[in-house]
């Protein structure tokens, strides 16, 4: 049964990935002609217009271009950067670990905040602690990450004369400083996701706590802790796990701003620079890698979900 | 305003105090945007002689920036960008989402399957990544910000509206309407749409906050309204960050304005959802 579900899920993921690749592929094709001229004048990416069109692959019929591009992609060839002339895949390979690490820590902090606050908020619905937790969560969803980052850099500097270390320390050089430099960015990155997860945890738990079997548990005289954590949370947590998967694109999107503010050499900053330099092979490459990763991770989350919840039969 | 309206507002305030706070913030934001000329003591680009990077004072409530401009006036005018982008984006997004979600949920079948795969693909892009990529092609500017944000928000919302439509389409009254010989158009307009309106209102209110936040992020990265017009996100980048240690108020107020605006819409949206969604009403089963 599970295998059939997995095959079905995989069959759904493939067209999504193909459509995503089509979107990634089409983007540069939407560039108006004068932008190619501009790219030539501004960045001197090629000797003449024809060469640049050929480099961008804009000189042949669209379907042919797509199939050829897809063929190259499946062989691991994402083209080379117009700016640095290095293979895009190689450039991404260097920067992906930084972004990944940041996203992982961000998600970790998000869960660390979301679960306890969500549980307390649901178990004490419409009390002061619930109002406080919910206001805090909504505020967490409302505060722009770049502002929070700015405040956390500026205020300690003004109050205590403490400034965060700038410049990136690699893990192989100094593991301790490598991790500590990522803590602040990761916490800021995790706040919005944590707030979203907290709200879902609260909502789902509230729904479960209204079920008949919970009423029975109360009637049996079980302790509140057992009812909320054992009967409630275990049944409410599954959608939260699913949301983790869907939050991933947002976390990775958030790294664009965090990496820019903190000067981390990750993939998102690479994309941002590429956008500013109109380096289309890089834009295409990074987009494709990000989307593929997200589709694969979502597939994994779905699989876990099916394995973890014995009630689900496909 | 009739007696009924007063009663509804009063009961909403009692039941959802946080939502009422949100509503007050939203109304204040709208007033700032509409009456910016009257509220702001200076123009958004007026330089004031001898007032470079002055801290907050009675003359300049929120201080002045590196080009000797009054921060409070710039914040007030900045509300226009946020409100315009917010409402335009959400109007476009909700229209798109309703068209996609309702038709996809109601007709189902192959049409639904194909549409949902396209939505899946859109949703697997981190919004900032896709928006920035679209902006790279379209170029910066207010209209392009609205277009690119609307597409993303529409994709997310269409999912929710589709779900609501599927639930409603299974209702006996829809079956009865069909048995009476009603066409698809009549069923969609008279039976389905009125029933998804609550969902749409909630999505729109929450979407407003999300759109304002996303716009500020784009402005911060330099893809928003071109200067000198003050967009809150843009005020925080560039000079706001360059002078953040010497004149921290230049970085503090715009961020606070964004946070408050988004907070207001989120609070209001949350309260509206609690009121309009019967599943979340009332206390626990205890």
């Amino acid at each position: 049964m599970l295998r059939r579900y997995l095959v079905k899920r995989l069959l759904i993921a493939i067209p999504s990935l193909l459509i995503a690749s089509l979107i990634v592929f089409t983007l540069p094709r939407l560039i108006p002609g004068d932008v190619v001229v501009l790219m030539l004048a501004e960045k001197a990416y090629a000797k003449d217009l024809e060469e640049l069109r050929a480099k961008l692959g804009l000189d042949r019929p669209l379907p042919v271009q797509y199939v050829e591009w897809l063929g190259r992609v499946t062989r691991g060839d994402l083209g080379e950067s117009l700016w640095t002339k290095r293979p895009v895949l190689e450039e991404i390979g260097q920067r992906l670990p930084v972004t990944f690490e940041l996203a992982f820590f961000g998600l970790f902090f998000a869960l660390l905040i979301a679960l306890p606050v969500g549980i307390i908020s649901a178990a004490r619905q419409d009390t002061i602690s619930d109002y406080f937790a919910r206001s805090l969560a909504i505020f967490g969803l409302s505060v722009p990450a770049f502002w929070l980052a700015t405040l956390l850099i500026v205020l300690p500097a003004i109050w205590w004369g403490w400034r965060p270390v700038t410049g990136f320390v690699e893990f192989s050089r100094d593991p301790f400083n490598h991790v500590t430099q990522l803590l602040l960015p990761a916490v800021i990155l995790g706040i919005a996701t944590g707030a979203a997860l907290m709200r879902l945890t609260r909502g789902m738990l509230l729904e479960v706590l209204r079920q008949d079997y919970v009423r029975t548990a109360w009637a049996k005289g079980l302790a509140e802790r057992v009812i909320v954590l054992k009967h409630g949370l275990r049944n409410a947590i599954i959608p939260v796990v699913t949301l983790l998967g869907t939050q991933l694109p947002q976390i990775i999107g958030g790294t664009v701003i965090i990496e820019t503010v903190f000067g981390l050499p990750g993939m998102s900053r690479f994309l941002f620079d590429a956008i500013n330099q109109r380096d289309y092979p890089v834009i295409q490459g990074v987009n494709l890698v990000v989307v593929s990763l997200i589709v694969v991770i979502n597939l994994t989350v779905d699989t876990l979900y099916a394995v973890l919840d014995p009630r689900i039969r496909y | 305003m009739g007696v009924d309206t007063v009663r509804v507002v009063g009961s909403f305030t009692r039941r959802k105090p946080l939502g009422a706070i949100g509503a007050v913030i939203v109304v204040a934001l709208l007033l700032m945007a509409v009456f910016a000329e009257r509220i702001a003591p200076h123009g958004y680009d007026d330089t004031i002689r001898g007032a470079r990077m002055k801290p907050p004072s009675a003359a300049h409530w929120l201080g002045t920036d590196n080009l000797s401009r009054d921060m409070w006036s710039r914040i007030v005018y900045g509300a226009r960008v946020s409100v315009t982008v917010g409402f335009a984006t959400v109007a476009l997004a909700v229209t798109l989402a309703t068209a996609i979600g309702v038709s996809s949920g109601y007709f189902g079948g192959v049409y639904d399957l194909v549409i949902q795969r396209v939505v899946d693909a859109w949703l697997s892009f981190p919004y900032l990544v896709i928006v920035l990529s679209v902006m790279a092609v379209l170029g910066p500017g207010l209209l392009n910000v609205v277009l690119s944000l609307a597409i993303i928000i529409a994709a997310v919302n269409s999912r929710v509206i589709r779900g609501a439509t599927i639930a409603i389409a299974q209702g006996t009254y829809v079956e009865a309407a069909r048995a009476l010989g009603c066409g698809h158009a009549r069923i969609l307009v008279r039976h389905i749409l009125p029933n998804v309106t609550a969902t749409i209102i909630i999505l729109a209110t929450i979407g407003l906050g999300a759109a304002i936040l996303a716009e500020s992020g784009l402005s911060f990265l330099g893809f928003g309204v071109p200067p000198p017009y003050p967009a809150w996100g843009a005020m925080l980048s560039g000079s706001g960050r360059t002078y953040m240690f010497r004149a921290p108020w230049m970085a503090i107020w715009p961020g606070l304005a964004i946070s408050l605006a988004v907070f207001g819409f989120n609070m209001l949206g949350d309260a509206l959802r609690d009121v309009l969604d019967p599943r979340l009403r009332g206390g626990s089963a205890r």
Side-chain angles (χ1 to χ4, degrees):
Chain A
M1 275 311 214
L2 185 66
R3 186 173 300 166
R4 236 180 72 194
Y5 168 72
L6 283 183
V7 171
K8 205 174 121 192
R9 197 61 197 73
L10 206 65
L11 285 179
I12 292 176
I14 290 170
S16 299
L17 206 54
L18 275 177
I19 296 169
S21 76
L22 199 62
I23 295 173
V24 168
F25 168 80
T26 323
L27 270 177
R29 269 76 196 166
L30 299 174
I31 320 169
D34 52 335
V35 176
V36 180
V37 178
L38 194 78
M39 282 168 72
L40 190 68
E42 257 181 22
K43 309 283 181 198
Y45 279 146
K47 281 202 294 288
D48 54 36
L49 210 60
E50 286 314 304
E51 194 192 328
L52 185 57
R53 279 187 201 286
K55 263 191 176 175
L56 288 169
L58 295 170
D59 56 345
R60 270 163 302 162
L62 268 179
V64 178
Q65 288 179 33
Y66 178 62
V67 173
E68 270 189 12
W69 177 74
L70 210 58
R72 280 202 306 274
V73 165
T74 48
R75 288 194 301 273
D77 176 13
L78 292 177
E80 61 178 41
S81 157
L82 295 175
W83 190 244
T84 63
K85 313 274 186 221
R86 288 180 58 199
V88 175
L89 199 66
E90 205 181 297
E91 298 262 19
I92 292 175
Q94 280 176 1
R95 292 165 170 89
L96 191 63
V98 179
T99 304
F100 226 70
E101 224 177 324
L102 193 61
F104 176 79
F105 282 133
L107 214 53
F108 175 75
F109 281 117
L111 276 174
L112 204 66
I113 309 165
L115 286 181
V117 181
I119 293 167
I120 293 169
S121 195
R124 302 266 178 275
Q125 191 190 10
D126 289 333
T127 60
I128 294 287
S129 43
D130 179 29
Y131 279 132
F132 184 70
R134 281 164 65 196
S135 313
L136 211 66
I138 299 183
F139 202 70
L141 280 176
S142 316
V143 178
F146 52 86
W147 184 54
L148 209 57
T150 309
L151 286 190
L152 289 178
I153 294 172
V154 171
L155 296 181
I158 293 173
W159 291 334
W160 307 300
W162 177 82
R163 288 190 190 203
V165 191
T166 45
F168 182 70
V169 185
E170 278 179 37
F171 185 81
S172 52
R173 260 210 349 248
D174 186 349
F176 180 75
N177 276 333
H178 173 82
V179 173
T180 46
Q181 76 183 343
L182 285 178
L183 284 184
L184 190 61
V187 170
I188 295 169
L189 188 62
I191 282 177
T193 302
L197 285 174
M198 176 259 151
R199 280 152 57 100
L200 188 72
T201 309
R202 176 182 179 273
M204 285 297 138
L205 198 54
L206 277 181
E207 220 165 286
V208 173
L209 289 180
R210 288 199 189 106
Q211 302 289 324
D212 286 342
Y213 64 83
V214 174
R215 189 178 292 131
T216 310
W218 280 113
K220 278 201 305 190
L222 290 183
E224 187 188 22
R225 209 171 63 93
V226 178
I227 292 171
V228 173
L229 295 183
K230 205 174 156 199
H231 294 248
L233 190 66
R234 276 178 79 169
N235 288 300
I237 202 78
I238 293 148
V240 180
V241 174
T242 315
L243 185 77
L244 270 183
T246 55
Q247 279 288 315
L248 203 75
Q250 298 335 312
I251 288 253
I252 293 185
T255 58
V256 177
I257 284 178
I258 298 291
E259 286 175 11
T260 307
V261 174
F262 286 95
L264 298 171
M267 195 173 62
S268 303
R269 185 147 167 245
F270 183 45
L271 173 73
F272 180 63
D273 292 340
I275 285 170
N276 277 327
Q277 288 161 346
R278 296 186 195 284
D279 194 342
Y280 285 96
V282 172
I283 301 176
Q284 270 183 334
V286 174
N287 275 336
L288 193 71
V289 168
V290 167
V291 171
S292 312
L293 271 177
I294 286 168
V295 169
V296 169
I297 291 173
N298 274 336
L299 195 67
T300 319
V301 169
D302 272 10
T303 316
L304 274 179
Y305 176 39
V307 173
L308 286 177
D309 189 350
R311 286 173 306 184
I312 297 170
R313 288 282 170 265
Y314 297 92
Chain B
M1 199 155 65
V3 179
D4 276 354
T5 322
V6 174
R7 196 176 298 148
V8 168
V9 170
S11 120
F12 180 78
T13 310
R14 266 194 312 281
R15 281 171 58 198
K16 296 286 162 197
L18 292 180
I21 295 174
V24 170
I25 296 174
V26 167
V27 170
L29 180 73
L30 293 179
L31 289 177
M32 262 165 78
V34 175
F35 300 108
E37 281 93 351
R38 294 198 191 168
I39 296 172
H42 301 273
Y44 61 82
D45 207 22
D46 289 355
T47 48
I48 301 149
R49 195 183 283 260
R52 187 168 181 265
M53 287 200 276
K54 293 279 180 226
S57 63
H60 304 289
W61 297 354
L62 305 183
T64 56
D65 68 3
N66 59 316
L67 296 175
S68 311
R69 296 174 298 190
D70 182 49
M71 287 294 289
W72 165 239
S73 305
R74 287 178 64 74
I75 295 275
V76 170
Y77 276 97
R80 280 196 173 162
V81 178
S82 294
V83 168
T84 313
V85 171
F87 279 89
T89 304
V90 165
L92 189 61
V94 163
T95 312
L96 270 174
T98 309
I100 297 169
V102 167
S103 62
S104 192
Y106 179 76
F107 292 111
V110 179
Y111 172 75
D112 179 43
L113 194 74
V114 172
I115 292 284
Q116 289 316 308
R117 292 300 74 76
V118 177
V119 172
D120 269 349
W122 270 116
L123 289 182
S124 46
F125 283 99
Y127 87 90
L128 207 58
V129 168
I130 192 74
V131 166
L132 283 175
S133 306
V134 172
M135 300 291 284
V137 173
L138 297 177
L142 203 61
L143 185 66
N144 295 341
V145 172
V146 170
L147 280 178
S148 45
L149 287 180
I151 297 170
I152 300 290
I153 296 178
V156 180
N157 289 355
S158 74
R159 259 299 147 77
V160 184
I161 294 175
R162 171 179 171 267
T165 307
I166 291 175
I168 292 158
Q170 283 166 353
T172 38
Y173 58 92
V174 174
E175 210 178 311
R178 202 171 289 135
L180 283 171
C182 291
H184 289 315
R186 191 178 163 84
I187 293 178
L188 282 173
V189 174
R190 296 294 297 269
H191 299 284
I192 306 275
L193 268 185
N195 282 300
V196 290
T197 312
T199 310
I200 293 173
I201 292 173
I202 297 162
L203 288 176
T205 321
I206 294 172
L208 274 165
I212 291 176
L213 196 61
E215 183 275 331
S216 73
L218 284 179
S219 293
F220 177 77
L221 292 172
F223 285 90
V225 189
Y229 205 89
W232 292 340
M235 287 167 75
L236 239 164
S237 65
S239 55
R241 279 180 65 76
T242 311
Y243 299 102
M244 64 185 177
F245 293 108
R246 277 172 61 199
W249 54 89
M250 280 176 62
I252 289 173
W253 303 129
L256 192 66
I258 299 165
S259 307
L260 266 180
V262 181
F263 184 66
F265 279 112
N266 283 347
M267 282 288 202
L268 185 61
D270 235 31
L272 280 180
R273 191 189 52 199
D274 281 3
V275 171
L276 297 175
D277 187 344
R279 284 183 314 160
L280 298 168
R281 226 176 268 163
S284 67
R286 223 167 133 181

